Amino acid sequence: MSTGDGLRFLIQRGSARTTDASLAVVISSDGLEELLSPLGFALAAAFEGMAVHIYVQGPAVRVLERGFRAKMHGWARPFSRFAASGLNRAGHLPAQVQLRQLRSLGAEIYMCGPSMQHIRVKSDALIFDDLPLVEYFTFMSVMRDADAQIYT
């Protein structure tokens, strides 16, 4: 639907589709722009009925910490609040909201235990209290069996 001041989209929830396909996503960055695509693709896959598996590692483990707000990196960091506001107006939800949506759609979220220790994220500060702490070897088997893989 097109309006004079821009585009508007209507998304309606239909009957749930199921498929045998699966998506494995590795998220390594906690940057505002770097989180958009992998979480967007993961949500699209979940809505399509695909099994979604997300491995959060490196600096991205901060995304799972209560109170996290994504920021831009480098010289653009001071403009993070403006960018986040613009993304919100365009319909992009914050990363933690998207992760909660993914969980409600059945996505499995795994956290890199060594990254959690290195970045100093504490278990009691996480937005979910039941995340599996795994290492690369565990998630490699998930990636091997997935029909599509995204690594960021």
PDB file of all heavy atoms in Angstrom, residues 13-30:
ATOM      1  N   ARG A  13      -1.028 -12.360  10.398  1.00  0.00           N
ATOM      2  CA  ARG A  13      -0.609 -13.703  10.767  1.00  0.00           C
ATOM      3  C   ARG A  13      -1.604 -14.702  10.209  1.00  0.00           C
ATOM      4  O   ARG A  13      -2.794 -14.606  10.442  1.00  0.00           O
ATOM      5  CB  ARG A  13      -0.521 -13.821  12.286  1.00  0.00           C
ATOM      6  CG  ARG A  13       0.007 -15.131  12.732  1.00  0.00           C
ATOM      7  CD  ARG A  13       0.161 -15.159  14.225  1.00  0.00           C
ATOM      8  NE  ARG A  13       0.724 -16.427  14.612  1.00  0.00           N
ATOM      9  CZ  ARG A  13       1.239 -16.665  15.785  1.00  0.00           C
ATOM     10  NH1 ARG A  13       1.251 -15.722  16.693  1.00  0.00           N
ATOM     11  NH2 ARG A  13       1.726 -17.830  16.070  1.00  0.00           N
ATOM     12  N   GLY A  14      -1.107 -15.638   9.459  1.00  0.00           N
ATOM     13  CA  GLY A  14      -1.945 -16.682   8.904  1.00  0.00           C
ATOM     14  C   GLY A  14      -1.744 -17.967   9.678  1.00  0.00           C
ATOM     15  O   GLY A  14      -1.160 -17.986  10.758  1.00  0.00           O
ATOM     16  N   SER A  15      -2.213 -19.045   9.118  1.00  0.00           N
ATOM     17  CA  SER A  15      -2.016 -20.331   9.782  1.00  0.00           C
ATOM     18  C   SER A  15      -0.534 -20.687   9.751  1.00  0.00           C
ATOM     19  O   SER A  15       0.194 -20.358   8.809  1.00  0.00           O
ATOM     20  CB  SER A  15      -2.839 -21.412   9.082  1.00  0.00           C
ATOM     21  OG  SER A  15      -2.443 -21.517   7.735  1.00  0.00           O
ATOM     22  N   ALA A  16      -0.093 -21.325  10.786  1.00  0.00           N
ATOM     23  CA  ALA A  16       1.322 -21.674  10.906  1.00  0.00           C
ATOM     24  C   ALA A  16       1.707 -22.696   9.848  1.00  0.00           C
ATOM     25  O   ALA A  16       1.015 -23.688   9.640  1.00  0.00           O
ATOM     26  CB  ALA A  16       1.596 -22.222  12.301  1.00  0.00           C
ATOM     27  N   ARG A  17       2.812 -22.401   9.176  1.00  0.00           N
ATOM     28  CA  ARG A  17       3.347 -23.353   8.209  1.00  0.00           C
ATOM     29  C   ARG A  17       4.513 -24.058   8.859  1.00  0.00           C
ATOM     30  O   ARG A  17       5.239 -23.473   9.656  1.00  0.00           O
ATOM     31  CB  ARG A  17       3.835 -22.636   6.947  1.00  0.00           C
ATOM     32  CG  ARG A  17       2.719 -21.993   6.189  1.00  0.00           C
ATOM     33  CD  ARG A  17       3.143 -21.531   4.835  1.00  0.00           C
ATOM     34  NE  ARG A  17       4.272 -20.614   4.870  1.00  0.00           N
ATOM     35  CZ  ARG A  17       4.664 -19.913   3.831  1.00  0.00           C
ATOM     36  NH1 ARG A  17       4.028 -20.014   2.705  1.00  0.00           N
ATOM     37  NH2 ARG A  17       5.684 -19.106   3.915  1.00  0.00           N
ATOM     38  N   THR A  18       4.693 -25.280   8.525  1.00  0.00           N
ATOM     39  CA  THR A  18       5.851 -25.999   9.027  1.00  0.00           C
ATOM     40  C   THR A  18       6.646 -26.517   7.850  1.00  0.00           C
ATOM     41  O   THR A  18       6.096 -26.818   6.795  1.00  0.00           O
ATOM     42  CB  THR A  18       5.448 -27.170   9.950  1.00  0.00           C
ATOM     43  OG1 THR A  18       4.596 -28.044   9.215  1.00  0.00           O
ATOM     44  CG2 THR A  18       4.734 -26.674  11.193  1.00  0.00           C
ATOM     45  N   THR A  19       7.921 -26.604   8.054  1.00  0.00           N
ATOM     46  CA  THR A  19       8.820 -27.085   7.033  1.00  0.00           C
ATOM     47  C   THR A  19       9.938 -27.846   7.720  1.00  0.00           C
ATOM     48  O   THR A  19      10.171 -27.670   8.911  1.00  0.00           O
ATOM     49  CB  THR A  19       9.373 -25.921   6.187  1.00  0.00           C
ATOM     50  OG1 THR A  19      10.299 -26.448   5.247  1.00  0.00           O
ATOM     51  CG2 THR A  19      10.058 -24.887   7.033  1.00  0.00           C
ATOM     52  N   ASP A  20      10.603 -28.671   6.984  1.00  0.00           N
ATOM     53  CA  ASP A  20      11.738 -29.404   7.553  1.00  0.00           C
ATOM     54  C   ASP A  20      13.025 -28.605   7.447  1.00  0.00           C
ATOM     55  O   ASP A  20      14.068 -29.044   7.930  1.00  0.00           O
ATOM     56  CB  ASP A  20      11.913 -30.743   6.833  1.00  0.00           C
ATOM     57  CG  ASP A  20      10.773 -31.704   7.146  1.00  0.00           C
ATOM     58  OD1 ASP A  20      10.145 -31.548   8.209  1.00  0.00           O
ATOM     59  OD2 ASP A  20      10.511 -32.597   6.316  1.00  0.00           O
ATOM     60  N   ALA A  21      12.984 -27.440   6.812  1.00  0.00           N
ATOM     61  CA  ALA A  21      14.188 -26.624   6.616  1.00  0.00           C
ATOM     62  C   ALA A  21      14.603 -25.963   7.930  1.00  0.00           C
ATOM     63  O   ALA A  21      13.782 -25.725   8.814  1.00  0.00           O
ATOM     64  CB  ALA A  21      13.926 -25.567   5.554  1.00  0.00           C
ATOM     65  N   SER A  22      15.900 -25.678   8.020  1.00  0.00           N
ATOM     66  CA  SER A  22      16.395 -25.010   9.225  1.00  0.00           C
ATOM     67  C   SER A  22      17.445 -23.975   8.860  1.00  0.00           C
ATOM     68  O   SER A  22      18.096 -24.050   7.825  1.00  0.00           O
ATOM     69  CB  SER A  22      16.969 -26.025  10.202  1.00  0.00           C
ATOM     70  OG  SER A  22      18.107 -26.656   9.648  1.00  0.00           O
ATOM     71  N   LEU A  23      17.595 -23.002   9.739  1.00  0.00           N
ATOM     72  CA  LEU A  23      18.550 -21.917   9.578  1.00  0.00           C
ATOM     73  C   LEU A  23      19.440 -21.857  10.808  1.00  0.00           C
ATOM     74  O   LEU A  23      18.945 -21.911  11.931  1.00  0.00           O
ATOM     75  CB  LEU A  23      17.814 -20.579   9.417  1.00  0.00           C
ATOM     76  CG  LEU A  23      18.665 -19.314   9.438  1.00  0.00           C
ATOM     77  CD1 LEU A  23      19.541 -19.228   8.186  1.00  0.00           C
ATOM     78  CD2 LEU A  23      17.780 -18.070   9.555  1.00  0.00           C
ATOM     79  N   ALA A  24      20.747 -21.753  10.588  1.00  0.00           N
ATOM     80  CA  ALA A  24      21.707 -21.555  11.673  1.00  0.00           C
ATOM     81  C   ALA A  24      22.341 -20.184  11.486  1.00  0.00           C
ATOM     82  O   ALA A  24      22.812 -19.856  10.399  1.00  0.00           O
ATOM     83  CB  ALA A  24      22.775 -22.644  11.653  1.00  0.00           C
ATOM     84  N   VAL A  25      22.323 -19.378  12.540  1.00  0.00           N
ATOM     85  CA  VAL A  25      22.853 -18.019  12.483  1.00  0.00           C
ATOM     86  C   VAL A  25      23.912 -17.862  13.568  1.00  0.00           C
ATOM     87  O   VAL A  25      23.681 -18.227  14.718  1.00  0.00           O
ATOM     88  CB  VAL A  25      21.738 -16.973  12.707  1.00  0.00           C
ATOM     89  CG1 VAL A  25      22.290 -15.560  12.644  1.00  0.00           C
ATOM     90  CG2 VAL A  25      20.600 -17.158  11.725  1.00  0.00           C
ATOM     91  N   VAL A  26      25.069 -17.305  13.192  1.00  0.00           N
ATOM     92  CA  VAL A  26      26.111 -16.958  14.158  1.00  0.00           C
ATOM     93  C   VAL A  26      26.184 -15.444  14.199  1.00  0.00           C
ATOM     94  O   VAL A  26      26.401 -14.797  13.168  1.00  0.00           O
ATOM     95  CB  VAL A  26      27.482 -17.545  13.763  1.00  0.00           C
ATOM     96  CG1 VAL A  26      28.556 -17.103  14.738  1.00  0.00           C
ATOM     97  CG2 VAL A  26      27.413 -19.065  13.690  1.00  0.00           C
ATOM     98  N   ILE A  27      25.973 -14.864  15.368  1.00  0.00           N
ATOM     99  CA  ILE A  27      26.040 -13.412  15.542  1.00  0.00           C
ATOM    100  C   ILE A  27      27.239 -13.095  16.419  1.00  0.00           C
ATOM    101  O   ILE A  27      27.320 -13.570  17.555  1.00  0.00           O
ATOM    102  CB  ILE A  27      24.738 -12.862  16.161  1.00  0.00           C
ATOM    103  CG1 ILE A  27      23.541 -13.192  15.259  1.00  0.00           C
ATOM    104  CG2 ILE A  27      24.850 -11.362  16.399  1.00  0.00           C
ATOM    105  CD1 ILE A  27      22.203 -12.775  15.830  1.00  0.00           C
ATOM    106  N   SER A  28      28.146 -12.274  15.887  1.00  0.00           N
ATOM    107  CA  SER A  28      29.389 -11.964  16.590  1.00  0.00           C
ATOM    108  C   SER A  28      29.515 -10.508  17.011  1.00  0.00           C
ATOM    109  O   SER A  28      30.325 -10.191  17.866  1.00  0.00           O
ATOM    110  CB  SER A  28      30.591 -12.308  15.700  1.00  0.00           C
ATOM    111  OG  SER A  28      30.561 -13.658  15.337  1.00  0.00           O
ATOM    112  N   SER A  29      28.745  -9.616  16.409  1.00  0.00           N
ATOM    113  CA  SER A  29      28.881  -8.193  16.694  1.00  0.00           C
ATOM    114  C   SER A  29      27.671  -7.665  17.448  1.00  0.00           C
ATOM    115  O   SER A  29      26.547  -8.102  17.213  1.00  0.00           O
ATOM    116  CB  SER A  29      29.043  -7.403  15.394  1.00  0.00           C
ATOM    117  OG  SER A  29      29.078  -6.015  15.654  1.00  0.00           O
ATOM    118  N   ASP A  30      27.912  -6.706  18.333  1.00  0.00           N
ATOM    119  CA  ASP A  30      26.818  -6.086  19.080  1.00  0.00           C
ATOM    120  C   ASP A  30      26.449  -4.727  18.507  1.00  0.00           C
ATOM    121  O   ASP A  30      25.734  -3.952  19.118  1.00  0.00           O
ATOM    122  CB  ASP A  30      27.183  -5.953  20.553  1.00  0.00           C
ATOM    123  CG  ASP A  30      28.374  -5.027  20.795  1.00  0.00           C
ATOM    124  OD1 ASP A  30      29.070  -4.658  19.812  1.00  0.00           O
ATOM    125  OD2 ASP A  30      28.624  -4.676  21.955  1.00  0.00           O
TER     126      ASP A  30
END
